[in-house]
Amino acid sequence: MKSFTRSRISKLYVVLIVVLLVFVSVSNFIASRNMETESDAIVHDSIPISNTTNSLLKDLINQETGIRGFQLSGNEQFLEPYTSGKKQLELDLSTISQYDKKYPTLQLIMDTQAIPAINNLQKFFDTQLELVRADKLDEAKARIASGKTMMDRYRVVHTSIEKTIDQITSDAYTASLQAGKTSRMITMVGSIIALIVGGMSIFISYRAYHAEEEIRRSEETYRYMAESLETQNEEIMAQQEEQQLTLAKLSERERDLELISSYQEKLTGYVKLKDFLKHTLPALLNSLSQDAALVVMERHAEDSTSYEVIHSIGYPKEHINLNQRELFGPARRVFDEGTPIVHTRDVSGHEQGVHGGITRAVDQYIPLLDDKQKVIGFLLLTSYQSSLFQENNERLTKGLVRQFGLAFYAQVMNDERLGQAASLAELNDQLTAEKQLIERQRDLIQNILESAHEGMMMCDSQGTILFSNHRMNRYFSLNERIGENLVDSSHEIAADSPSFIGVASSIEALIDGSLSNLTQRFSFELEDQVQHAELYATVVSEDTEQQGYLFVFRDRTEEERIDEMKNEFISIVSHELRTPLASVLGFIEILLHRELSQEKQKKYMETINKEAHRLSNLINDFLDLQRMESGRQLYHFSPVNLLPTLQEIAEQWQDKHSHRILIHQQETELYVRADADRIRQVFDNLISNAIKYSPEADHIDIHLTVDQGKITIAIQDYGLGIPEEARDQMFSKFFRVDNSDRRQIGGTGLGLAIVKEIVEGHNGHISYTSEMGQGTTFRIEFDLYEISNMDGQIVIFEDDDNLAKLIQVALNKLGLPSMQLRSAEEGIIALNRCKGEGPILFIVDIHLEGAKTGWDFIADLYRHPVHYQTPVIVSTALDPPHDYHEKEIEKYLKKPFTMERLVQVAKRLLDNKQSNAYVFPAQNKENLTTTLQRNGIDVLEMKESIDMIEVEIKKPQSNT
């Protein structure tokens, strides 16, 4: 039983050892494979994806560079980076699409952000290429900013992709570390189990000594497997170190890409070449890990060539010679060969650094080319760390420097264009000035021709129409025939206007040379109106060579109308004058040669008197109308109350005729600013017409209404009415409606013309409505005039608005309100309306706007029972204030008082309100006394000074 048990235990031990070894081997194999898988995820996925995405950015940058180079130079060779970049872009997109299913986050960014941004850029590049090839450079330049915005957007997307790749790499690296931990854990567990099994083996060795040989073999096998596990552990550690190196390289590559991106951003957007070099060269040095750089340009003069260092960075100042006549060595070879040259040299002086530790330098001479691949300068890059200059950096250097060369040439061309633009701007200013001068001269001539009252047209010696002003165009629309033949155009006009046939024949004869000059009168219709014209032609020549003909069209319609009016006037006046004159002469002849009774003599004398009045009225009407039309009619404006004026006129007419004149009004005071005599004349004429042309009626209605500051006077009769065809001529001179009903009604046809002139002279409006057989209503509209309130104010009587305003400005020093009145009539009405304290001072000009003078107001003031003590300053002229300056169109009439003196006198009179003082300018005292007495003013005392006379007056008799 014991033997059996030991055998079973030995077998169990062997099985345990074998299981342990298999377990340890399998676990180590699984851990190793897990480590390899995670490492492969980094090596085979993360690194290729990162390289491909960086290649995408580089492809887009190459395309952008190619497009910009082609846009700036127009040379197809610059499209090489664009073409290669476009092809490489397709390959890179295909490569990166292989990882879509494996990395969903990357797929999401590519599908939603990167690929749309790339497609937009591709469309932009294709459009730019088409625009440049179509020579639409301005539109292409205008779209550069949007392209830059698209590239900036892609860089943002590129940053997101890099972050995603970093996350993928980080996750793989974390998984690798986790796999290492798992492997170590399995090894540790295996070791623990081994210890347990070892313990069991010792225990079993005591119990089963006959199994020692098998255990030793198991231990050797285990030892071999342990050594194998240790070897696998070492391999895993080596893989981890390799992964760390890969991550370091990726970080370094990312930094390089950031430097390159920053450098490329600085290649555009500068106005001046100095700013471009100042910002671009430091970025280029950082991207290429170089220490110093300078740019040399070849300068061509008339008979020599020189070389100028236009910018340098990183070199000691004493080592830079800004201008050189000749180049040697590598610098010369760059210009001759046009290829990059690398030169290694020893350094000396300040180039050795502050510590003197720099001994060697590597210089790279890189040619700068124009659009024709001709060397225009070179870029020198220097590295003082010669060990860092490696051949694997050559491709990056070549690409970045090529971009710099393209941008540099574009900036050089931009500087040249700026210089040319400045020169062109200066030339343009000169041309603009000359153009403006020519245009002003042309406009002056054009304005002279256009402002002429005559129509003008010019043609060349062959008859081709060259010019036509607006008056000629109005008559014959010649502006539509510029460039056509005048003879043909004349015959076309004659076809529509038969009266032009003779003119067309004369024009043809003039152009043919059979007629030496042309002057012809003719008539034609324009807008259904007959027009009379005179056309004459003048030869336009320069020296002795004939250039063409100037045709002048003079409108004689108004002359013909005036002649017709003169004839009509003579006819009408002669008829109208002869009729009453014949009656007067006939009855006088009867009275002289016949013996008549007293009754007949009286009757004949009344007839003579009536006809003499008729003759006088005709002459007066004609003279009034002539004065009004010639502008010599003077109006004496003052406030006129229409209601009492109309009532007075109505009473006078009702005494002469049987018609009742009914006045309908809303208010008792309806003032307008008018000439009282002329307003009476207007109403007399209209009422007279209303009575004459309503013989069957028994009354006339006059309505006065006020609305929105306007007074309307409507005079309505119930008589014959006015036919519609007479509407346009009702206010014309000598016009009378021609029908049998009116022939027996006398009249000259001047009344309504006079009424219209007077109403318009008062800034009013006259109109009428009429219905045949029902009557006519004439309406006159005036502005309502409000009488000012004098209470508590200084009242200035002055009809010169400018002078009144100047006096008011001077009186502002007294701090009292003032007002202006233009007529004595308004002052008298306002004075009688005063209910409060009344005015405090009057400044009165003698000659005012109305029929009354300043003396009339002073006389009324003197008789006023309350305000007769109000002080008065009488002035016919006053000096202007110190701040007044005469203008060309505004002259100041100098008066005896200066403004300062006026203010002083006014202040003294206001301070002494009890004195009945009137102040006058210095003048003859006896004449002044006579004038005052003639106006009913008694004088107590006169005080005379240099510039004025102060008069103390007696109280009015009504107050004694």
Side-chain angles (χ1 to χ4, degrees), residues 38-287:
E38 298 303 328
S39 298
D40 289 342
I42 297 175
V43 175
H44 297 294
D45 292 346
S46 300
I47 296 175
I49 292 173
S50 177
N51 291 337
T52 304
T53 53
N54 290 334
S55 179
L56 286 176
L57 178 60
K58 182 179 178 183
D59 295 339
L60 293 175
I61 291 172
N62 286 338
Q63 289 186 57
E64 181 183 27
T65 303
I67 288 295
R68 289 188 181 177
F70 177 60
Q71 179 181 340
L72 293 171
S73 63
N75 193 338
E76 293 283 348
Q77 294 179 358
F78 287 95
L79 289 177
E80 179 185 349
Y82 169 77
T83 305
S84 60
K86 192 170 184 179
K87 292 179 180 179
Q88 185 62 36
L89 179 67
E90 294 176 358
L91 295 175
D92 292 338
L93 288 173
S94 177
T95 300
I96 204 169
S97 65
Q98 298 173 5
Y99 299 93
D100 289 347
K101 295 181 179 179
K102 191 172 183 179
Y103 300 104
T105 304
L106 178 63
Q107 179 186 4
L108 180 62
I109 294 176
M110 290 297 297
D111 291 344
T112 60
Q113 298 182 24
I115 292 177
I118 291 171
N119 290 337
N120 289 337
L121 282 169
Q122 290 301 301
K123 291 178 182 177
F124 171 78
F125 294 150
D126 293 342
T127 304
Q128 287 292 94
L129 184 59
E130 291 175 2
L131 290 175
V132 174
R133 285 176 173 170
D135 203 23
K136 297 181 180 179
L137 297 179
D138 291 337
E139 186 175 350
K141 289 179 181 178
R143 298 179 76 253
I144 288 176
S146 62
K148 186 176 179 182
T149 302
M150 292 180 187
M151 182 60 78
D152 291 340
R153 291 175 181 169
Y154 178 75
R155 285 193 173 99
V156 174
V157 175
H158 182 74
T159 303
S160 300
I161 294 173
E162 287 180 338
K163 291 180 179 179
T164 303
I165 294 171
D166 289 343
Q167 186 63 41
I168 292 171
T169 305
S170 176
D171 293 341
Y173 179 70
T174 303
S176 176
L177 293 177
Q178 187 64 36
K181 290 181 180 180
T182 304
S183 178
R184 287 191 292 272
M185 182 63 70
I186 293 172
T187 304
M188 186 180 296
V189 170
S191 299
I192 293 172
I193 293 172
L195 290 175
I196 295 171
V197 172
M200 290 176 64
S201 66
I202 293 172
F203 174 75
I204 294 172
S205 65
Y206 288 107
R207 300 288 302 272
Y209 56 88
H210 53 81
E212 287 180 0
E213 193 66 29
E214 288 82 358
I215 292 174
R216 286 192 190 96
R217 285 197 297 269
S218 298
E219 286 178 352
E220 289 176 359
T221 303
Y222 171 75
R223 192 178 296 112
Y224 171 75
M225 294 178 68
E227 289 175 357
S228 176
L229 286 173
E230 186 175 354
T231 302
Q232 289 179 358
N233 259 342
E234 290 177 355
E235 290 178 359
I236 290 171
M237 295 298 294
Q239 289 177 356
Q240 289 178 345
E241 291 176 357
E242 184 180 353
Q243 290 172 356
Q244 290 176 349
L245 290 174
T246 302
L247 285 174
K249 289 181 179 179
L250 287 174
S251 299
E252 183 178 358
R253 179 61 177 168
E254 182 180 0
R255 184 185 65 83
D256 292 341
L257 287 174
E258 288 178 356
L259 291 174
I260 292 170
S261 178
S262 175
Y263 160 71
Q264 290 173 339
E265 288 177 356
K266 290 182 171 60
L267 287 177
T268 58
Y270 301 101
V271 177
K272 296 183 179 179
L273 181 61
K274 290 183 178 180
D275 296 334
F276 167 78
L277 295 173
K278 180 179 178 182
H279 293 85
T280 306
L281 283 180
L284 180 61
L285 292 178
N286 290 334
S287 300

Side-chain angles (χ1 to χ4, degrees), residues 792-815:
Q793 301 206 56
I794 298 175
V795 183
I796 303 168
F797 285 87
E798 179 60 64
D799 57 357
D800 186 333
D801 293 335
N802 289 331
L803 180 55
K805 189 178 296 183
L806 292 170
I807 296 173
Q808 286 180 300
V809 171
L811 293 175
N812 285 339
K813 297 178 181 179
L814 300 178

Side-chain angles (χ1 to χ4, degrees), residues 83 109 118 140 151 164 180 209 223 295 304 314 316 386 395 399 761 783 838 841 851 862 884 894:
T83 305
I109 294 176
I118 291 171
M151 182 60 78
T164 303
Y209 56 88
R223 192 178 296 112
V295 178
S304 63
S386 57
R395 181 182 176 187
D783 291 328
L841 174 67
Y862 178 71
Y884 177 79
K894 187 177 180 180

Side-chain angles (χ1 to χ4, degrees), residues 636-653:
H636 300 286
F637 290 103
S638 63
V640 176
N641 191 353
L642 292 182
L643 182 58
T645 302
L646 280 169
Q647 289 173 341
E648 182 182 346
I649 295 171
E651 289 175 2
Q652 293 175 358
W653 277 100

Side-chain angles (χ1 to χ4, degrees), residues 443-543:
D443 293 342
L444 177 61
I445 296 172
Q446 183 76 18
N447 290 336
I448 291 173
L449 294 176
E450 293 293 346
S451 61
H453 292 286
E454 292 80 12
M456 294 184 181
M457 183 274 299
M458 184 175 179
C459 69
D460 60 15
S461 58
Q462 304 301 318
T464 303
I465 300 174
L466 305 175
F467 165 79
S468 175
N469 71 352
H470 76 284
R471 290 188 179 273
M472 189 67 87
N473 297 334
R474 176 176 177 268
Y475 297 125
F476 301 112
S477 301
L478 291 181
N479 58 329
E480 300 174 358
R481 302 175 182 267
I482 300 297
E484 298 181 7
N485 187 271
L486 177 60
V487 176
D488 297 338
S489 300
S490 299
H491 286 298
E492 291 179 12
I493 295 172
D496 297 329
S497 301
S499 61
F500 201 75
I501 294 175
V503 179
S505 301
S506 300
I507 291 175
E508 184 176 6
L510 180 69
I511 301 298
D512 292 343
S514 57
L515 191 66
S516 58
N517 57 66
L518 187 153
T519 301
Q520 193 160 348
R521 293 184 177 184
F522 61 97
S523 300
F524 64 97
E525 284 192 3
L526 179 67
E527 298 175 356
D528 298 329
Q529 297 290 330
V530 177
Q531 304 288 324
H532 303 276
E534 180 179 20
L535 181 69
Y536 59 89
T538 305
V539 177
V540 179
S541 61
E542 183 176 347
D543 298 332

